[in-house]
Structures are given as C-alpha cells and as structure tokens.
Amino acid sequence: MYSSIEENYLKALYLLADEKEEVSSLALSQALDIKMPTVNSMMKKFADKELIYYKNYKPFKLTKKGKKEAALILRKHRLTEMFLVEKMGFGWEDVHEIAEQIEHIHSEKFFNKMDEILGNPKFDPHGSPIPDLDGNMQWVNFKKLSESKEGQVVVLSAIINGSKEFLEYLNSKKLSLNLELEIESVDNFDGNMKIRILKTNETVILSRMVTDKLLIQ
C-alpha cells in the first residue's frame, strides 16, 4: 500500500515516460510542481522498493513492478471518471479533479465493483485506455484529426488534451466521442478544418491547434 503522494509520483512517472520509458528528474519535478531535491529523495525510496531503476544524474525508469503499480493507480482514476460520467451524469469536463481524490482509496473490491457495474469498459470518457487488473491496456493506433484529408469520414475516438478548458471548448462546438465527422475542407495556409457532424448535419471550423489534439479512427 502506498501513500497518496507516492501514488501521484508513480502515476506521473507512468504518464511522462518517453519512447525509452525514461523520465528526467526535471520533467517529474515540473509535472508535480515539486523541487528536484525532494523528487530525488522520493526516487531513492522508490529504488529501495524496487519500483524504479535509479542512477545518479540519469533518467528514472519504472521496473516491471513499478509499471504495474502505476497502471493500477491509473486504472482507479479512469474507472472513476467513467463511473462519474456514465452512472452519475457528470460532464466529461468535470470528472478529473474528483477522480484525483477517489483514486487514492485503498479498496480493490470497490473499484472491481465499479468495473463490474460499468460492464468492464476498455476506455475512459476521454478515450484513454483503462488498465486491467494486471496493469495491461488495450492500445489503439489512433491518428490525429489534423492528418485527415478533404472528403474523409472519420470517428472521433479520443483526445490528447483533457483540460477542463479544452473539454468545455469541445462542448461549445457540440463535439463528443464516437461522433462521425466528414472533412469538408482543409485550409492550405493555416490548416483550419471545416467539418460536418453527420449526426446533426451541423458544420464547425476547427483550428490546427485543436485538430492536433483530437484522435480519430
């Protein structure tokens, strides 16, 4: 069992890992808004618990044990977000902060029941995969909406930026997951994209900054 502070470190390490599965002390410090000496002190404790590989002045890397523990924390967070949306009627823009608190409950039965009630979902309300009890996730090779061409019909399946402000912006454009979108035009100069929501036949213009953050199938 880990403290809420330790769980926050583990989750951050998991989410910040690059292609080499490494995380720098600076990146971890910035992500958690914690001073680097404090971060390094915690990482030494994690190394003692065999959660990370640790060497002075080298990036951190989660061990197999560390990855599983971190994934299970992420599982609690994403299951909670899904439960809040599907069973309690919260908007997808309001669930992150609540899930940040609930994820620290130390009851496997609680979250397993939540999973059962939801029907064992594979993805959270933002399209991110939910780890299973072994810490495994179902990955999908999404593409960015910005990579789509005029005339294509795509399905909005996930988002990269889950901030409240961005989700509220998507709400204002009546965009949500699983909608079919037709690409009507793409501006050659600035990448602005005009799309039609097939369900409602409404059109909306999105900037390149936005379409870079929307993932499609």
Side-chain angles (χ1 to χ4, degrees):
M1 188 177 295
Y2 304 98
S3 70
S4 59
I5 294 173
E6 288 174 324
E7 288 188 335
N8 287 337
Y9 270 98
L10 279 168
K11 190 173 67 170
L13 282 165
Y14 191 94
L15 294 173
L16 289 169
D18 60 18
E19 291 182 358
K20 296 180 180 179
E21 300 185 341
E22 295 177 340
V23 181
S24 70
S25 56
L26 177 60
L28 191 55
S29 171
Q30 291 175 337
L32 295 171
D33 193 22
I34 296 173
K35 293 180 179 179
M36 286 179 63
T38 305
V39 167
N40 287 324
S41 177
M42 179 64 79
M43 291 303 98
K44 290 176 182 177
K45 293 179 182 177
F46 274 16
D48 291 339
K49 294 181 179 181
E50 300 182 340
L51 295 170
I52 65 164
Y53 300 107
Y54 178 89
K55 290 183 179 180
N56 286 331
Y57 311 112
K58 296 290 184 180
F60 313 123
K61 186 173 181 178
L62 287 165
T63 62
K64 184 177 180 180
K65 175 186 175 182
K67 285 181 188 176
K68 181 177 180 180
E69 297 293 345
L72 291 179
I73 296 161
L74 200 59
R75 167 183 166 81
K76 294 191 293 182
H77 183 98
R78 291 178 176 174
L79 275 175
T80 299
E81 288 192 333
M82 197 63 172
F83 192 87
L84 289 168
V85 169
E86 292 294 318
K87 300 301 179 182
M88 299 188 72
F90 282 86
W92 64 343
E93 73 279 8
D94 291 324
V95 297
H96 178 73
E97 292 301 323
I98 302 172
E100 284 283 293
Q101 300 172 52
I102 294 175
E103 72 183 33
H104 298 303
I105 293 175
H106 296 294
S107 172
E108 190 174 309
K109 287 184 179 180
F110 177 81
F111 292 100
N112 288 347
K113 176 58 71 173
M114 191 182 286
D115 191 24
E116 179 186 327
I117 291 171
L118 288 169
N120 311 114
K122 302 298 183 186
F123 300 91
D124 76 3
H126 311 111
S128 299
I130 299 173
D132 63 20
L133 284 169
D134 295 316
N136 300 314
M137 289 192 283
Q138 179 179 319
W139 292 101
V140 178
N141 291 322
F142 294 127
K143 292 184 178 180
K144 293 180 179 179
L145 180 59
S146 57
E147 298 172 358
S148 302
K149 305 297 182 183
E150 185 176 319
Q152 279 188 288
V153 174
V154 300
V155 177
L156 180 57
S157 300
I159 57 172
I160 292 176
N161 182 337
S163 71
K164 183 179 178 67
E165 293 75 19
F166 185 62
L167 293 169
E168 287 176 339
Y169 170 81
L170 296 181
N171 286 344
S172 73
K173 299 297 182 180
K174 298 181 181 179
L175 290 171
S176 58
L177 297 192
N178 303 315
L179 285 178
E180 283 191 315
L181 311 174
E182 181 180 1
I183 317 304
E184 292 199 339
S185 64
V186 182
D187 192 294
N188 290 328
F189 176 70
D190 58 16
N192 281 359
M193 185 176 286
K194 182 180 180 182
I195 63 172
R196 183 163 63 92
I197 304 171
L198 297 186
K199 183 179 180 180
T200 61
N201 206 38
E202 295 182 69
T203 58
V204 61
I205 296 176
L206 302 174
S207 71
R208 179 62 181 263
M209 182 180 73
V210 172
T211 58
D212 273 343
K213 293 178 173 63
L214 301 179
L215 303 179
I216 60 161
Q217 287 182 301

